[in-house]
Every structure is written in structure tokens, then in C-alpha cells.
Amino acid sequence: MTTGHAYGVFSTPADPRKRVGVSAGENIIDLASAVRNLAPELTPHVAGPSLDALLAAGPQAWAEVYATVTSWLTSSRDRIEPYLVPSASLHLPFSVADYVDFYASEQHATNLGRMFRPGQDPLTPNWKHLPIGYHGRAGTVIASGTGVVRPSGQRRSPSGEITFGPSQRLDIEAELGFVVGMPSALGQPVGLEEFEQHVFGVCLVNDWSARDIQAWEYVPLGPFLGKSFATSISPWVVPLAALSAARVSPPPRTEPLLPYLDDEKTAPWGLDVRFEVRLNGHVVSRPPFASMYWTGAQMLAHLTANGASLRTGDLYASGTVSGEGADQRGSLIELSWGGQEPLSLPDGSTRTFLSDGDEVVISATAPAPDGTLLTLGEVRGHILPASP
Ligand code: MN
């Protein structure tokens, strides 16, 4: 049995109210009910219809709730039996404030650089000096399981014709998301060592991407409508406390870092999170988060280096997780190498990009504190036809 657990929001047919639950293996614990009876002093943190109050409660409250649930799971399991929920619907777990997406995998950035800017250095000159990112659209972060309508937009054909229509290169990006709990003040950067004071935990992210729209629109200001139509997140937020055994050193840095990003003398925040990407039930990739060049702590330090403040519910994602191997790439544009090398699926069909009706499931595991594997759950989504 794993001692790690995660937090989410659920409802049941018998009781459609949204409430906070704990995922522990196969079980969901009705946390609000359990706390009301077994640890009433924690009630204010988990009583609402989302994780918002828990996120805002801060690191001391996070530790108290985590220790309480861990003790139930390890030494007094019979006490929580009455609060186990057999089957439930899962919902968007928190109110997303701002959404930022990074580009922290050297392999992904190199692969995309080769495809989007052939003949030039695949990594831009800034890449190893700062975690590159952009501001995304918080309002279109959606719950796992929600259908994604194929976006339409402007694209330019290879012959130079400019048209408007449904994306023909609809893609996925397997990413890790960091969920901010504690806000920070405007004008006050958050240093590397303050990461655990502000970030509550992580979730899985599928940053759906329309490559044809993206390729035409992104110069010179970066991603826009090719990204903003939908971003799916997993229902379970795994607290940093559950990832203590997954911390690893990030890859060696090949360029010296400015002091605010230099993590050589701090405890490492690389994470040995192992992703699996399934397309219509078939595993197409196993991206390793441990190979990410930039850590979540560095992303947060950079995100606030100019004094930009944090709000409870801010979500920042890592960017596509891609490893060295051809079977470790976290997007279809890499797996099919720009559409030139179609993937074969067991039903005999092939894919370069997503077809209507396709379902993508991204799941992940990580080493748990007790030596077993902790599941980070999954983020699921399927493609609906473009609006007429
Ligand atoms: Mn992305």
C-alpha cells in the first residue's frame, strides 16, 4: 500500500454536491465528512466545493492535513471505512487563476527547433539561460474527460495559400502542472528556496495544440489561438509532500546560471515522474520528467523574477515532457516527426495528428515515500468534430 495520496473534487449520483476527496489507491475518501468527525479543527480547509480553501490555507495547514490523512491510511484505516466512496464523478479541482506554460524540456525544444526552424540552431540563444514560457488562457483549463472541439483558425498551406478552417494538425502535449497555493506580494520575487511555501502540488496536463494554427501565428509574439482553445488537467492534485521520494537532481547544466536560477547549492527539485501517453488505448510514448532541464522551483523563481505576484490557483505547466528516446516524446509532432513518420495503431490505422473521436490518456507514476509507486492519476480527453 502506498502512503502517498492526492486531493480532488468529486460528487456522486446520490449526492451531487461537489466536495473535497482524497485519492488513496483505488479508494476515494470523502475528506470533508471524515474531517468533520475525526479532525474537526481542519474543517475550514476542506469544507468547500473545491480545493481553493486548502490551497489558500498555506504550508502549515497543508502539512497538518497531509499528516492526518497519512495517519488514517497507515495506522487507523478502519476509522475511515465509513467515508470511503465507491464510485464518483471527478471535477476540475480548483479555480484556475492565471495559467502559464513553460518549455523546459531540452529534447522537446530541440526537436521543435529542428522542425520549425530548419537550418538554424535548434535551441534559441536564451534557452539555457532562462526557462522560456508564455501566458496561456486560464478560462479554458478544463476537467479531465471533457471533450475537446477541434479548433478552427488561420493556417498557411505549403504552397502559401492562407485559409480558415478546422485544424489539420491537432496535437497533444504531455506536461506536469504546478499548482500555486500561497499568493505572493506584487514587487517581491519568490526565490528558489521558497518554492515549497507557495506551491501546493502537481497535476497532469494535456496542453492541446493546433500545430498548423501555431506555426502561422506564433511569430513574433508566441503561442496564441493554437493553444488557447483547451488545456486539460487531471482531477487529482498530488501534494509536494507525497513526492519527497521522487526528488532527483536535474540534468547537468551546460551554461552558468544567474544567481536567482542557480540551484546547485539547493536541494534538487528535479522529479522522477514517469509519464505514459495512450492514444485510443495504445501506449505511444513514455516520457521521463527526470530529464527536464528546468525544475518547477526555477520556473517559479523566473515567473516572479520581475516582481509579478502569485495568486492562489495559479497554474504553471512544464511544457512538453520529452526524453532522449524516440519512444519518449510527449507530443505527436515529435512522435510522427512533423507528420512524416505516421504512427501505426493496433487497429491497423495510422496517425500523424489526432482524428475526430480519438481519445488520449496521459498517466504518470513516481516513487512513493514507502518504496512503492505513487500514481498521479490520469488526464483524459477526446476530440469532437469542429463546429460548423
Ligand atoms: Mn505546452
Side-chain angles (χ1 to χ4, degrees), residues 10-376:
F10 74 97
S11 64
T12 59
D15 185 351
R17 289 173 305 166
K18 290 181 182 173
R19 49 216 196 269
V20 174
V22 162
S23 166
E26 298 298 298
N27 298 311
I28 296 175
I29 305 167
D30 183 336
L31 184 60
S33 298
V35 155
R36 203 155 41 237
N37 293 306
L38 304 177
E41 70 282 5
L42 300 177
T43 297
H45 306 323
V46 298
S50 75
L51 299 183
D52 294 1
L54 180 60
L55 295 181
Q60 194 181 334
W62 305 340
E64 287 168 11
V65 172
Y66 191 77
T68 301
V69 174
T70 300
S71 77
W72 293 341
L73 290 171
T74 51
S75 57
S76 48
R77 220 176 159 81
D78 48 324
R79 295 184 73 195
I80 53 168
E81 287 293 331
Y83 308 104
L84 294 182
V85 179
S87 74
S89 300
L90 300 172
H91 305 281
L92 197 68
F94 60 97
S95 306
V96 181
D98 285 306
Y99 169 49
V100 163
D101 195 24
F102 283 94
Y103 193 51
S105 159
E106 181 176 1
Q107 288 77 23
H108 173 72
T110 301
N111 289 337
L112 260 68
R114 287 203 181 114
M115 284 183 266
F116 277 54
R117 293 180 302 278
Q120 300 176 34
D121 278 344
L123 290 183
T124 49
N126 55 359
W127 200 91
K128 289 203 164 172
H129 296 276
L130 52 81
I132 294 177
Y134 68 95
H135 280 273
R137 193 165 187 84
T140 54
V141 175
I142 57 177
S144 176
T146 308
V148 173
V149 175
R150 179 179 298 273
S152 290
Q154 268 199 36
R155 60 273 159 103
R156 184 173 61 175
S157 74
S159 63
E161 191 192 6
I162 295 160
T163 57
F164 185 95
S167 172
Q168 291 159 3
R169 288 162 73 91
L170 185 55
D171 200 353
I172 60 162
E173 293 192 332
E175 307 194 10
L176 194 66
F178 295 86
V179 181
V180 172
M182 282 293 277
S184 69
L186 192 63
Q188 292 189 2
V190 175
L192 287 174
E193 68 286 352
E194 296 172 287
F195 174 66
E196 285 173 277
Q197 303 298 308
H198 292 275
V199 169
F200 172 79
V202 302
C203 61
L204 304 180
V205 176
N206 187 347
D207 179 29
W208 306 94
S209 299
R211 301 299 182 192
D212 41 1
I213 299 170
Q214 180 186 357
W216 173 228
E217 75 178 357
Y218 90 107
V219 181
L221 285 186
F224 190 33
L225 303 182
K227 298 280 192 174
S228 63
F229 55 94
T231 306
S232 300
I233 63 170
S234 60
W236 297 111
V237 179
V238 177
L240 292 184
L243 293 168
S244 57
R247 293 176 65 173
V248 293
S249 292
R253 282 65 168 79
T254 53
E255 297 287 338
L257 294 175
L258 291 170
Y260 80 99
L261 289 172
D262 188 353
D263 60 354
E264 200 161 279
K265 293 192 180 70
T266 65
W269 269 111
L271 289 171
D272 181 14
V273 174
R274 305 154 194 179
F275 283 72
E276 203 162 73
V277 180
R278 284 191 179 79
L279 174 54
N280 298 338
H282 174 64
V283 176
V284 294
S285 180
R286 291 191 170 89
F289 193 82
S291 66
M292 298 296 271
Y293 195 85
W294 298 104
T295 70
Q298 289 173 315
M299 294 178 218
L300 188 71
H302 188 64
L303 176 55
T304 59
N306 64 348
S309 50
L310 298 171
R311 291 192 293 177
T312 298
D314 280 355
L315 170 69
Y316 64 97
S318 61
T320 308
V321 183
S322 290
E324 286 286 355
D327 56 354
Q328 295 184 324
R329 297 167 178 165
S331 67
L332 293 175
I333 194 171
E334 292 167 274
L335 289 165
S336 71
W337 205 253
Q340 296 169 40
E341 299 167 16
L343 302 176
S344 295
L345 298 181
D347 65 1
S349 64
T350 60
R351 290 290 185 289
T352 49
F353 295 94
L354 295 170
S355 300
D356 290 349
D358 280 353
E359 185 182 55
V360 176
V361 179
I362 299 169
S363 58
T365 56
D370 64 356
T372 61
L373 272 187
L374 172 77
T375 176
L376 280 75

